[in-house]
Structures are given as structure tokens and as C-alpha cells.
Amino acid sequence: MAVAAALGSLGAVALGTFVVSLLLRWLWDALVAVTRFRATCRQLNKFPTPPWRNWLLGHTGMGQSTEQGLQQVDTLVARYRHGCLWWGLPWLPVLRLFHPSTLRPLLSASAFVAPKEKTFYGFLKPWLGEGLLLSGGQRWARHRRLLTPAFHGDVLRNYLGIFNQSTRVMLAKWGAAVVSAGGGPVEMEVLQPLSLLTLDTLQKCIFSHESHCQERPSKYIQAILELSSLVVRRQLQPLLHPWWLYRLSSDGRRFARACATVHAFTADVVQRRRRALACLGHQTWLDGHRGRSMDFIDLLLLTKDENGHTLSDEDIAAEADTFMFEGHDTTASGLAWLFYNLASHPEHQERCRQEVQELLAARDTADIEWEDLSQLPFTTMCIKESLRLHPPVTAVSRRCTEDIPLHDGRVLPKGVICLMSIYGTHHNPDLWPEPEVFNPLRFSPENSKGRSPSSFIPFSAGPRNCIGQSFAMAEMKVVVALTLSRFMLRRDTARPPPCRKPELILRAEDGIWLLLEPLVGVA
Ligand code: HEM
């Protein structure tokens, strides 16, 4: 009995000690966290804070993904030229940065010190997996090294034929719409057909697959469009943010079905190609390509790192899905806003058209070729100015693993979300006088002298910049050159200007509507 009682009291003492030590541990952790947070706050207090709702809610709900939200960014940038502190929630500080002085140290930091902030991209994970956009650490570094040669000029020049061919399909449809409207100008929403065009070119460049998606519905392309719109819708519905709730919702089930369609298509192409490579051997396989240039899947199947290691089928599929996602809407948004800006400025449009016509004069082909891309200086300036005024990606974010010192003695503290506002930087009056004016001459060689490269970052910059930027610039030049050589773009003055809508990419509330008028004497 006595022994049992002694053991019982020993057990109680042990349990008590365990609970007390747990409590002490918890208190210690809480104290460390509070001390660290206070130290971070001391660093953050050196950044100006715009007026907020109150100390409890901070700026919660004050930033919107709307036209008003973008105008609010303009106001913030005009007031706080380098950046400001934003309290998303009372415990969630966000540094909003709009100037090379605050952006450059972050952009030039290594990808390990300034990794991406995951919250903004989390919903894309089941679709894009560990592709370049979402991965981090050593895996990202290894894949980035392996993928970079696939975007070299010698590879991209082979895609020019595809850009020309797909653009002609779109223009033929536009021509047919004009004919059915009696030959006069026809009003059209341009972002949607441009998205189909960019999906079409990507599907050909990545998979060598001709889905004719611009002419008839394609299950795979519909699935990609659905995934993009479901991700945006979910962002706006906080109730559907937890995965377990989303999976039960009808949107969640549609998302899973669309993911399955996309993954099945990609896996099928990759596996068939891998089997062919294994059966035929390298040389016969390469010889079999005569007449067809290598696509991205071929290049990724053949790539090897310094130790001779290749990419797995799953790796290749994730990268291909990432290119399809990251390459289509961004380029389509860039093109749609470029068309809008040229329609709003007929004098610039006409100068681009003359440049293209002079280039194509006395030639036996109406195709834009690789060498032509550097012969369109004014058109290139217009593309850049449009990417400045209407950047397809309006912001990117980082959360640093170390304090990043700024030149004025302040620091971007470790662990704090840094929102690099591409839109804000491109609209900063310190960098761009009269930022709302579309003026392509800002990008003339004389006017570009002395400007910080971090003032113009539509493709971000530094180690995690856009790997597809040369691809996108080449495609945009071909599409705009061919379009201007067939159509006049005009704005319907009865329509109010579009309300901009920053989602995954910069859209407009009710689409981007333009009048298309066929040029006289063009078949
Ligand atoms: C006008 C068109 C485009 C714009 C404005 C654009 C913009 C961007 C931006 C701002 C980033 C950085 C994202 C971040 O830091 O979170 C990025 C990354 C990326 N882009 Fe693009 N992009 C365009 C076209 C393309 C195309 C055509 C492709 C592929 C064919 C592509 C593939 C990628 C990939 C894979 C990444 C991730 C790179 C990495 O993290 O290493 N993009 N893009």
C-alpha cells in the first residue's frame, strides 16, 4: 500500500514537473517571440506608415484589387516615394516598396536570402507543383541552371514561325468578323482572343501540339483557362482558403477535375517522348526531328547537370505546366494593354505601322523573322512603355531569411513580407515624370541614359527574374507587327476608359474593347 502511495505521489510530482516545464518552455518561447517582434517593430518604425483604420485593425481591408486600389497605390507612391509600412493585420507587417533604393538590395540578394513569399502563390501548388515559379532552395537553383539554355536566342529563333502562324489564325478570325459586320470597323474584346493566341503558341513551342484552340474548343486549353479563373475566385473567398473546405466546395471539385485534365495531357506527352527516346536512342531520335525544331519537352528531356543527372518525368511535367501558366496570361495582358495604348495614341500607332511596313517592303515574305526583331526600335519602345504603364504582373513578394541593409541605414528585417510593387515603381513620379502619360520616347537611348535598371521591372529582376522574358518580347513584337500591318486599332470614344483590375495579371473590369478597322488595300 505504502509503496503504491509513494509511487502514486512520485507520479504526481513527475507529472507536475512535466506540466510546469512545458509551461515554462511555452512562456520562454512566447517571451523570445515577443522580444523578436518588438525588435522587428523598432526596425519597421523607421518606415513611414500611412493613416490606418485603428491600432487594432491596422490597414486590414484597405487595399483592394480594383481600379480604386491602383489609384490608392498612386497616392501612396506620390506621398511615400521609397516605400511604406502596411499592417495587413495587427501582427502582419508588410513593407510596400516602390523605388530602386529599397528594391535594388532585395532584387540583387541571392535567391536563398530573399526567397519568394509563399502565401500569394499557395493556391497554384496543386496545379504547378514544384515548377520553377513555386520551388525554392537547391531544387530551384538546379532547375534554373538546367532550364536557362532552353530560353537562349538560338532556341527562341526557331519559334518565330509559330508566332507568325498563330497570329495569322487570330487575324484571319478578326478579318472574318469584319466581313460579317459589312466590312466596316468591328468592336471586339481583345484580351480573350489574345489569351487563346498565347496558349496556342505555347502549346506548340512546349509540346509541338496543334490543338487549333483558336478555332474550336480544346479540353486542355479550357482546363487551363478554368484553373486560372478558379484561383482568382478563391483568392476573393476567404472561407474557401483552407484546403479541406475548398476540396468539399463545387469550385474545389472543378479545380481538381481541371488539374487532372492538365496533368494527364502533360504526363502523356512527356511519357510518350521518353519512351521514343529510350527505344530509338539519342541519335536516331534526334535525326527523327528533321523538319521539326526541338520543343521545350525535347530540350528538357535531354538536359543534364554537371554530374550527368537528368530531370525526371514529374520534373519536366511541372516545368511545362508552369510555362503554360506563367507564359500565357502575362503575354496576353501585355499585348492587350499595348493595343489599348496604341489605339489611344494614333500618332504612335502610325509610327509603328510605318516602321513595320518599311521592314516588310520589297520582301517576298510577310513573316516577321528573328533578325527583324532588332529592326523595330520604335515599336520596341512602345512595348516597353506599355509594360511600364500597364505591367501585367503588378507586384511580387519576398520574405528574407536575413536582415537586408539599405543604403540609408535602415534595414528590411528578416521574416517580414516585402511587397515589391512593380506597378508602384513604374508610376513613381521621382523616376517617371508625369507617370500617367504614355510616352514611348522615355525608352529612347538618350532618355534611358543614367536610369536605374530597377526603375523598370515588368519581368522582375535579379536571380528570380522572368526566365521567359525574351520569349515574351519576341512574341509581342511579332503579334503587334502583324496586327498593325492589317488593322487600324481605335477606341470607341463613347465607351468609358476600362477599369483596371489587378488579379493574377492586370485585366480590365469588363474586358479591353477596341474598334478594329481593316487597312485599305490589305487582303
Ligand atoms: C509579358 C509577359 C511576361 C511577364 C510580364 C512576366 C513577368 C514575370 C515576373 C514579374 C516574374 C517574377 C515572379 C515572382 O518573382 O514571383 C516571372 C517569373 C517567371 N516567368 Fe514570366 N512573365 C512573362 C512571360 C513569361 C513567359 C512567356 C514564360 C515562359 C514561357 C514565363 C515564365 C516564367 C517563369 C518560369 C518564372 C519563374 C522564374 C523563377 O522563379 O526562376 N514568363 N515572370
Side-chain angles (χ1 to χ4, degrees):
M1 272 299 263
V3 173
L7 280 177
S9 65
L10 261 180
V13 170
L15 184 68
T17 316
F18 177 68
V19 170
V20 169
S21 65
L22 260 187
L23 264 176
L24 283 176
R25 179 69 218 228
W26 181 80
L27 272 174
W28 175 251
D29 286 350
L31 197 70
V32 170
V34 169
T35 316
R36 210 175 277 154
F37 188 63
R38 285 178 57 140
T40 301
C41 287
R42 273 196 298 278
Q43 293 172 320
L44 289 173
N45 285 339
K46 298 190 177 138
F47 291 86
T49 310
W52 55 16
R53 282 171 191 275
N54 54 52
W55 66 269
L56 184 62
L57 291 174
H59 300 98
T60 314
M62 286 174 73
Q64 306 283 323
S65 291
T66 57
E67 174 67 39
Q68 288 70 30
L70 287 181
Q71 287 174 13
Q72 182 195 50
V73 177
D74 290 334
T75 315
L76 285 179
V77 175
R79 171 84 185 75
Y80 312 100
R81 303 283 171 114
H82 294 239
C84 63
L85 175 62
W86 194 261
W87 287 92
L89 289 167
W91 60 92
L92 187 69
V94 177
L95 282 170
R96 301 179 68 165
L97 311 173
F98 334 107
H99 194 277
S101 67
T102 47
L103 292 171
R104 206 182 305 115
L106 203 54
L107 288 168
S108 55
S110 100
F112 296 94
V113 171
K116 284 189 183 170
E117 209 301 296
K118 300 244 167 65
T119 346
F120 293 99
Y121 284 132
F123 299 154
L124 295 166
K125 195 84 183 180
W127 171 14
L128 306 182
E130 288 287 316
L132 214 48
L133 185 71
L134 302 189
S135 61
Q138 292 298 350
R139 182 191 162 90
W140 167 82
R142 176 172 173 266
H143 282 216
R144 178 89 193 199
R145 267 199 314 279
L146 284 171
L147 265 53
T148 297
F151 289 91
H152 191 272
D154 288 343
V155 175
L156 297 184
R157 64 183 304 136
N158 296 321
Y159 300 143
L160 265 270
I162 294 177
F163 297 159
N164 278 280
Q165 182 206 6
S166 292
T167 308
R168 290 195 193 290
V169 174
M170 183 188 77
L171 296 179
K173 279 178 69 184
W174 287 6
V178 168
V179 171
S180 12
V186 63
E187 196 175 26
M188 186 165 300
E189 197 291 311
V190 291
L191 183 55
Q192 197 251 354
L194 286 167
S195 285
L196 278 182
L197 163 62
T198 53
L199 282 165
D200 190 20
T201 58
L202 280 165
Q203 210 179 1
K204 290 173 186 160
C205 298
I206 298 172
F207 303 106
S208 296
H209 184 88
E210 172 75 81
S211 68
H212 299 282
C213 65
Q214 295 195 77
E215 294 138 301
R216 54 176 185 253
S218 143
K219 203 173 149 207
Y220 169 75
I221 297 294
Q222 291 310 319
I224 292 190
L225 291 169
E226 182 167 35
L227 286 171
S228 303
S229 77
L230 284 171
V231 167
V232 171
R233 210 157 66 203
R234 184 166 175 213
Q235 280 178 336
L236 304 174
Q237 294 173 302
L239 257 184
L240 294 183
H241 284 193
W243 278 110
W244 65 273
L245 267 181
Y246 191 57
R247 263 189 217 112
L248 299 174
S249 69
S250 65
D251 271 12
R253 287 196 298 271
R254 283 172 56 198
F255 186 85
R257 271 198 302 276
C259 262
T261 306
V262 169
H263 291 159
F265 173 86
T266 315
D268 181 52
V269 178
V270 176
Q271 283 159 17
R272 270 190 294 117
R273 231 33 103 72
R274 171 85 71 195
R275 274 199 301 273
L277 178 62
C279 289
L280 299 173
H282 258 194
Q283 200 48 52
T284 325
W285 188 74
L286 284 176
D287 293 346
H289 275 69
R290 280 202 195 108
R292 154 168 105 69
S293 47
M294 300 250 264
D295 59 23
F296 276 108
I297 297 286
D298 292 334
L299 293 164
L300 300 193
L301 272 169
L302 294 179
T303 189
K304 279 189 181 128
D305 66 14
E306 50 288 0
N307 303 318
H309 296 141
T310 54
L311 292 172
S312 71
D313 286 4
E314 293 70 33
D315 290 342
I316 296 175
E319 300 303 352
D321 290 340
T322 299
F323 295 162
M324 282 302 292
F325 161 71
E326 185 63 26
H328 86 275
D329 257 0
T330 45
T331 314
S333 163
L335 279 165
W337 287 108
L338 171 66
F339 283 10
Y340 170 80
N341 285 316
L342 292 176
S344 310
H345 296 86
E347 70 288 7
H348 298 320
Q349 182 183 157
E350 199 42 48
R351 197 169 155 191
C352 291
R353 182 171 296 110
Q354 272 172 16
E355 194 172 67
V356 176
Q357 283 169 345
E358 276 164 28
L359 187 76
L360 294 178
R363 286 229 311 229
D364 52 0
T365 162
D367 267 11
I368 303 293
E369 293 168 357
W370 180 253
E371 286 68 26
D372 297 334
L373 301 181
S374 54
Q375 306 300 317
L376 295 165
F378 188 73
T379 310
T380 307
M381 286 189 235
C382 288
I383 296 177
K384 288 185 176 171
E385 175 63 347
S386 187
L387 290 173
R388 180 197 68 79
L389 196 56
H390 292 101
V393 179
T394 54
V396 293
S397 58
R398 299 284 186 272
R399 197 195 279 255
C400 297
T401 56
E402 297 172 4
D403 287 355
I404 305 272
L406 301 181
H407 73 287
D408 59 6
R410 294 182 295 178
V411 292
L412 303 173
K414 165 185 170 178
V416 169
I417 298 177
C418 294
L419 193 70
M420 300 194 276
S421 177
I422 297 176
Y423 173 87
T425 309
H426 289 186
H427 289 241
N428 190 329
D430 272 2
L431 311 168
W432 307 99
E434 298 189 282
E436 297 315 317
V437 175
F438 179 80
N439 174 12
L441 293 174
R442 295 179 201 270
F443 287 94
S444 70
E446 317 78 75
N447 292 338
S448 305
K449 268 190 207 130
R451 182 185 298 140
S452 162
S454 318
S455 314
F456 178 61
I457 46 170
F459 298 104
S460 184
R464 292 215 69 158
N465 69 353
C466 174
I467 199 170
Q469 56 186 294
S470 303
F471 181 104
M473 284 301 286
E475 180 165 17
M476 285 195 284
K477 286 183 195 178
V478 172
V479 177
V480 70
L482 293 184
T483 305
L484 294 185
S485 55
R486 274 197 70 175
F487 289 97
M488 177 87 76
L489 306 172
R490 286 200 288 115
R491 276 186 57 200
D492 177 358
T493 41
R495 248 182 209 279
C499 282
R500 296 163 301 170
K501 195 168 163 213
E503 289 181 342
L504 286 172
I505 48 120
L506 185 62
R507 299 179 175 277
E509 205 74 58
D510 299 309
I512 300 172
W513 289 83
L514 297 178
L515 285 170
L516 306 173
E517 197 176 327
L519 291 177
V520 182
V522 176

